[in-house]
């Protein structure tokens, strides 16, 4: 049953806590002559490999289908989330089902809608699930061939995963940092770092990006001309009372009431509007400003913050802010 276009008919993605069930599925599939990727079948092959890159290639490019075993344990695992992001990159590329959810429970998995058809494993034996997988492979074999024959005349670059890891000078992982990749044409991708300090992006165009990183208690970071083919690790040094943020068109600054809106004027000057906020003691608006030059803001409660815009392109602005206590 092996498809000549894929190394595996199906790959299995699961949390270790569910291994006992999944292993029975894998054994049953193997007995049916189905070429299945199951980690324990590949121990010798995996030995010594860069697993981050290798598993990404498996779940993104080398299997006809992936069965994702949904459970409360799945979301908590670093490796399963890496596998999921790789699967979704493939799913974005194709116009057919690729991820086949099989649910142990009702846990919500990012990117996997509850409206997507799934198999409920509550009363399903591993052998019964293996039969369903076999039927899926048989039923769709002809339609998949026809669809791919049409798509083969169109060349699209394969999407891939770019991952950025953020930590502080003490090697503590930084979660909830906002990360934006912005191209020269001002199109952008955005994400947030997770519990492991990782921000993942599905890259579909071959471009160099400017990388912007912001966090409410860390200063702003900029990297220019970044090739997303290589994952990067960023270390941010914490500064007391400093924070940073990325805004799209307008935004609220933590610790101060009101809202700001930076704009690029027709004469290429940068100007700032502020709602219920005094700029530089009450200067007229719009107030012209320069990158990397501090601006003071004060709200109606006497809270004062100094802003420094580090980057502005399109509608994306990266800025540092220094907090002052109320008088």
């Amino acid at each position: 049953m092996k498809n000549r276009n894929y190394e595996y008919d199906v790959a299995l993605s699961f949390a270790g806590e569910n291994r006992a069930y999944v292993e029975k599925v894998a054994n049953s599939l193997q007995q049916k002559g189905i070429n299945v990727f199951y980690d324990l079948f590949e121990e010798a092959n995996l030995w010594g490999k860069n697993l981050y890159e290798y598993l990404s290639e498996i779940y993104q490019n080398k299997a006809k289908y992936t069965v994702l075993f949904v459970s409360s344990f799945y979301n908590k695992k670093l490796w399963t989330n890496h596998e999921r992001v790789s699967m979704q990159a493939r799913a974005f590329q194709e116009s057919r089902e690729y991820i086949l959810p099989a649910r142990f429970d009702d846990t919500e998995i990012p990117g996997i809608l509850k409206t997507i058809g799934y198999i409920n494993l509550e009363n399903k034996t591993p052998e019964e699930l293996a039969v369903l997988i076999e039927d899926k492979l048989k039923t769709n074999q002809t339609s998949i061939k026809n669809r791919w024959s049409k798509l083969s005349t169109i060349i699209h670059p394969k999407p891939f995963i770019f991952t950025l890891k953020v930590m502080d000078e003490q090697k503590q992982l930084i979660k909830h940092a906002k990360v934006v990749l912005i191209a020269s044409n001002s199109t952008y991708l955005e994400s947030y770092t997770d519990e492991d300090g990782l921000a993942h992006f599905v890259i579909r165009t071959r471009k160099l990006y400017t990388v912007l990183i912001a966090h409410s208690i860390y200063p702003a970071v900029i990297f220019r001309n970044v090739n997303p083919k290589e994952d990067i690790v960023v270390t941010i040094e914490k500064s007391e009372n400093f924070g940073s943020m990325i805004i799209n068109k307008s935004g609220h600054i933590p610790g101060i009431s009101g809202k700001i809106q930076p704009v690029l004027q027709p004469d290429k000057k940068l100007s700032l509007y502020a709602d219920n906020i005094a700029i530089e003691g009450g200067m007229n608006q719009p107030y012209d400003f320069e990158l990397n030059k501090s601006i003071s803001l004060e709200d109606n409660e006497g809270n004062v913050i100094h802003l420094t815009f580090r980057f502005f392109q399109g509608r994306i602005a990266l800025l540092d802010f220094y907090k002052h206590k109320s008088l």
Side-chain angles (χ1 to χ4, degrees), residues 162 164-166 176-182 188-193 197-201 210-214 246:
F162 169 62
L164 184 144
K165 185 176 184 178
V166 184
H176 306 314
K178 185 170 184 177
V179 184
V180 171
L181 310 186
I182 185 165
Y188 62 92
L189 301 168
E190 57 185 345
S191 182
Y192 288 87
T193 55
L198 300 175
H200 302 288
F201 298 87
T210 297
V211 177
L212 312 177
I213 306 173
I246 297 170

Side-chain angles (χ1 to χ4, degrees), residues 279-292:
I279 304 176
E280 289 291 327
M283 299 294 291
N284 290 333
Q285 298 185 32
Y287 177 83
D288 292 343
F289 68 92
E290 299 176 13
L291 294 181
N292 301 312

Side-chain angles (χ1 to χ4, degrees), residues 49-199:
K49 279 187 168 57
N50 181 329
L51 294 181
Y52 190 90
E53 294 180 359
Y54 186 77
L55 291 177
S56 178
E57 180 69 9
I58 292 291
Y59 288 100
Q60 187 172 343
N61 297 317
K62 291 192 174 183
K64 186 188 300 183
Y65 292 106
T66 291
V67 177
L68 190 158
F69 289 87
V70 178
S71 74
S72 59
F73 305 107
Y74 194 95
N75 263 350
K76 301 175 183 179
K77 304 292 183 178
L78 173 62
W79 281 107
T80 53
N81 278 288
H82 173 60
E83 292 167 6
R84 173 183 57 78
V85 171
S86 298
M87 294 176 223
Q88 288 170 338
R90 163 75 169 278
F92 288 143
Q93 185 186 18
E94 298 186 358
S95 58
R96 67 171 181 92
E97 66 272 19
Y98 167 62
I99 302 172
L100 306 178
R103 289 186 170 274
F104 287 107
D105 55 42
D106 291 329
T107 299
E108 291 191 20
I109 303 295
I112 307 298
L113 300 177
K114 283 191 172 182
T115 54
I116 293 177
Y118 65 89
I119 298 300
N120 187 339
L121 300 179
E122 185 176 358
N123 297 308
K124 191 79 63 182
T125 68
E127 292 74 20
E128 289 172 338
L129 180 61
V131 170
L132 288 175
I133 294 171
E134 182 182 32
D135 290 343
K136 183 71 173 180
L137 290 166
K138 289 178 179 177
T139 301
N140 289 276
Q141 188 170 17
T142 301
S143 61
I144 290 169
K145 283 183 178 180
N146 292 338
R147 190 177 294 117
W148 274 103
S149 66
K150 294 177 182 178
L151 291 174
S152 63
T153 59
I154 305 173
I155 299 175
H156 294 291
K158 289 184 178 180
F160 59 91
I161 306 300
F162 169 62
T163 299
L164 184 144
K165 185 176 184 178
V166 184
M167 63 178 63
D168 63 20
E169 68 273 20
Q170 304 299 322
K171 305 300 181 184
Q172 296 295 312
L173 300 174
I174 299 176
K175 58 184 178 180
H176 306 314
K178 185 170 184 177
V179 184
V180 171
L181 310 186
I182 185 165
S184 59
N185 63 1
S186 297
T187 59
Y188 62 92
L189 301 168
E190 57 185 345
S191 182
Y192 288 87
T193 55
D194 59 18
E195 299 291 327
D196 301 297
L198 300 175

Side-chain angles (χ1 to χ4, degrees), residues 8 10-12 14 19 22-23 26 36-42:
Y8 300 97
V10 62
L12 308 181
F14 61 97
R19 180 177 293 280
V22 175
E23 184 163 310
V36 55
F37 178 82
Y38 171 64
D39 57 358
L40 292 188
F41 292 168
E42 305 281 337

